[in-house]
Every structure is written in structure tokens, then in C-alpha cells.
Amino acid sequence: MPSEPGQRAAVLAILPSARAAAASLPAAGCSAPDVKVSAPAWSAADGAVNATVEATAPAGEILACASALSVIRSSLDGLVVPSSVATRLNTVVGVTVSTATGVRGVPASLTFDAQAQEPGKPITDAPVLQALLADQAVTRIDVRPAMVSWNVPDWSRAESSWRTVGRLTADKRPLSLSLDAPSDRLDTLTYTPAPGVTTGLLADLKGRPGVVGAFMTRDTLIVETTDRPTLRSVLDALPDAITLAELRAVGADGPLRMHGAIPEIRRLHPLAYAASRPGAKIAVRTDSPFLLEVTWPVEQGQAKPGGSSTDP
């Protein structure tokens, strides 16, 4: 039991309902997992203290245990937290159910808001978890409201689960897929909901010949190719609705980077090619006063000619 007043109050608030839920676990098909009620060592951004429930369940019973624990309904009435500790206690309870050994040795965890679940109804993310557990290529699973992440040996065996989870989450949740096997492609495929970008688009891009990697950093779509002709074909295929993208060519003909909204990149990319010569480093940034930046290759001993220009 935490000694700090706010955390102690949070644990006491949820303890009765957690005990009741844990008592019903055997009848729900969940054989006595290890259940822990705790309060994190930090408070939420709004100053409230959070309380959480963590359970370790047998691999084949993770959904049954999660459904049983979803009946948790904590009451914080009458509990007082000193204002110097926290503004209030959160009534939203996070529940995490993890497998003890994993299906096929694959560890899996499911985190959900118990109070957002309807009593007697399946856990909202059950289809996502079931789909990943059923995929023989998946090696690690973490399903949370903020992100769904999993591991797969290589892209050839990852594409199916990527498209399935994208469909099940309706492209409204961040996804992160890590590839375990060494590859000439980037080892992580990430997705964040953004205008014009879908999980299917990322999968299509990643499967294109000449594409080194396709992923997202926050709300920016990033595509890297082995050469400039492939980059042009990628640009032709991207929808105008994409408001932030970075397209990179990293081939022997010189690095090329174009950053901004797709319509603006499409309008300005002829400028980059017009300025190009073999080995030149070129950057087009549509959201900057410097629309075009060119660094010419130099011979050893020559002065560096430079140049950036606001009016190329």
C-alpha cells in the first residue's frame, strides 16, 4: 500500500471493485491470475492521481480474464486528497492483462479502460488481440488504447497482420510493427492517423521495388527510395490530401529530399531536378523561406561553391 496520501487514496478507491472482479475470475474461465492494484509514482497532466490494475494470466485465458476484470467500477466518493498532492482522483481505471508464458511462447498484453467496457460485452479490442494471436508469424503483442504494437520476423510475413489490424482499427489508432530479421529495409513500420495516409497506403509503398522504407514520424509520412526515378513514381502515386510528407532518395546519383504538402512538392519537384547534377545534394522545403537548397559536389582542394537561394 503506498504511503503517499494521493496514491493511497487511489488504491483504496479501486480495491473493493478489484477484489470483487478477481473473485469472479474462476467462473469466467480465468484460473486465478496474479492481480495487483497500484497507483503510479506520477500524476496525470491535469494533476489527478491515477490507479491501475495489473493481472498476469495463463496464455490461453487472457481474453477471459480481461472480460472478467472489465466489471471493475470504482467509487471515489468520500475520499479526500490534499491539494498539495493532487487536484483529484481519476475515476478512469486502466487495466492491463499480460500472459504468463505467452501463446507459442509469444508474450502478449492487453490494456483497456475498464469503465469504458459494457458489462457482459466482449472487450472492445478483443478482435485485434485475437487476430494477432492467431498469426503464427507474430512474436510479441501489446494492445493499448494509445497504440497497437507487435513483432514479426520480416515484411513478407508481416503484411497480412498489418493490413488486418489496420482494418480492425479503421485507421484511427497508431500502429507500430517491428521486424526482427536483418533486412535492407527499415526495421519498423509505424502509422499515425493523418490526412490522406492510410495503413494500406503504407503497406503498398513498402512493397514497391526500390522503396527502402515507408513509415511515419508523428504526423509526417516518410518514404525513402534507392534512386530518384523511384521517388518520382512514389510522388505520382501519393494523394493530394497528404498535408505533410518527406520524400527521400538516397542513391548514387546524389541525395534528394522534398518536404511539405504533396501538392506543393508536386509543384516544386521539377525545380529540384532542373538544379540537379550527379552527386548534388538537393533539398526542397515547401514550408520554409528556402524553397531550394543545393550543395554541389566538390573536387578535393577546390573551394566549396555553396548555395542556397530563396529565389532559385
Side-chain angles (χ1 to χ4, degrees):
M1 184 68 70
S3 58
E4 190 276 326
Q7 294 180 351
R8 184 180 179 87
V11 170
L12 288 172
I14 190 178
L15 194 56
S17 53
R19 280 176 172 164
S24 67
L25 291 175
C30 177
S31 56
D34 177 25
V35 179
K36 180 174 70 174
V37 181
S38 63
W42 47 266
S43 297
D46 60 0
V49 175
N50 299 301
T52 62
V53 174
E54 298 177 7
T56 302
E61 300 175 8
I62 183 170
L63 283 173
C65 295
S67 296
L69 287 170
S70 70
V71 303
I72 292 175
R73 295 292 187 273
S74 65
S75 173
L76 307 181
D77 296 338
L79 290 172
V80 178
V81 181
S83 59
S84 61
V85 175
T87 57
R88 62 183 176 81
L89 297 177
N90 267 342
T91 56
V92 176
V93 178
V95 179
T96 299
V97 182
S98 302
T99 58
T101 57
V103 178
R104 309 182 314 277
V106 176
S109 64
L110 172 66
T111 303
F112 59 94
D113 171 9
Q115 292 171 301
Q117 306 296 325
E118 295 186 42
K121 296 291 184 66
I123 295 293
T124 305
D125 283 333
V128 175
L129 183 60
Q130 286 172 322
L132 291 173
L133 288 172
D135 191 328
Q136 296 296 313
V138 173
T139 58
R140 184 177 297 273
I141 302 167
D142 186 12
V143 180
R144 292 173 286 150
M147 177 178 288
V148 179
S149 60
W150 67 105
N151 288 40
V152 177
D154 53 59
W155 175 244
S156 65
R157 286 179 283 181
E159 184 175 1
S160 175
S161 62
W162 177 263
R163 292 185 184 274
T164 298
V165 174
R167 175 179 55 81
L168 291 173
T169 56
D171 287 346
K172 295 180 179 178
R173 300 260 293 281
L175 308 181
S176 177
L177 185 155
S178 296
L179 303 177
D180 296 327
S183 170
D184 59 347
R185 296 173 181 266
L186 297 179
D187 62 0
T188 302
L189 183 63
T190 55
Y191 170 76
T192 303
V197 185
T198 65
T199 53
L201 174 65
L202 278 171
D204 292 341
L205 289 171
K206 197 165 182 66
R208 272 179 173 255
V211 172
V212 178
F215 57 99
M216 295 184 70
T217 303
R218 294 185 180 178
D219 55 353
T220 302
L221 169 66
I222 299 176
V223 184
E224 291 190 354
T225 68
T226 56
D227 53 61
R228 296 181 185 183
T230 301
L231 193 67
R232 295 189 74 163
S233 69
V234 167
L235 179 58
D236 292 339
L238 294 177
D240 284 347
I242 297 177
T243 56
L244 197 55
E246 184 166 309
L247 310 182
R248 308 168 182 167
V250 294
D253 50 358
L256 170 63
R257 180 170 62 89
M258 297 183 286
H259 179 92
I262 289 300
E264 286 299 295
I265 292 178
R266 195 168 279 131
R267 181 176 69 86
L268 291 171
H269 89 273
L271 189 64
Y273 284 93
S276 178
R277 67 172 67 163
K281 178 181 179 180
I282 300 174
V284 175
R285 301 193 299 274
T286 68
D287 55 352
S288 167
F290 293 95
L291 295 180
L292 176 66
E293 181 179 288
V294 182
T295 301
W296 304 112
V298 296
E299 300 283 338
Q300 186 174 3
Q302 283 185 335
K304 185 176 180 180
S308 294
S309 175
T310 57
D311 185 15

